[in-house]
Amino acid sequence: MATRFTKGFIDGLVCEKTGKHDSDIYFDSEVSGLAIRIYPTGKKRYLIDYRLAGRQRRMSLGSATILTVDQARRLARAKLSEVL
């Protein structure tokens, strides 16, 4: 289920999984394909999720400590328009 990303929402996210290679992914309701991945270490990265030639692809956009939600949305729109 998608949720509208806000700074408060992003700051409050914690990874529910504890394995070394586990992560949780949440999707934005405003920009289709924009997501954030949260690792057990607390690291958070924005990414885009899309299909190309029938295959699912993911592209990292950057750290949530560097990009704001608005910057991530603009970057996601730009990258999605390039790849689709």
Side-chain angles (χ1 to χ4, degrees):
M1 182 173 152
T3 305
R4 186 175 188 282
F5 288 173
T6 63
K7 181 179 180 347
F9 176 76
I10 299 297
D11 290 345
L13 289 175
V14 292
C15 185
E16 301 292 325
K17 298 174 183 161
T18 58
K20 183 177 180 180
H21 299 287
D22 288 335
S23 63
D24 289 334
I25 297 179
Y26 295 88
F27 289 89
D28 185 33
S29 62
E30 191 170 313
V31 176
S32 181
L34 176 62
I36 189 161
R37 175 177 273 173
I38 299 93
Y39 297 91
T41 60
K43 180 178 160 183
K44 299 172 186 175
R45 293 195 64 80
Y46 289 107
L47 57 96
I48 55 172
D49 189 65
Y50 61 97
R51 285 196 171 277
L52 186 62
R55 296 185 64 195
Q56 182 178 352
R57 305 284 186 183
R58 286 197 172 134
M59 179 190 302
S60 178
L61 298 177
S63 172
T65 58
I66 296 173
L67 294 173
T68 66
V69 175
D70 289 332
Q71 289 171 329
R73 284 189 179 118
R74 281 193 300 273
L75 188 55
R77 286 183 185 110
K79 294 291 183 183
L80 287 167
S81 69
E82 289 175 14
V83 298
L84 298 179

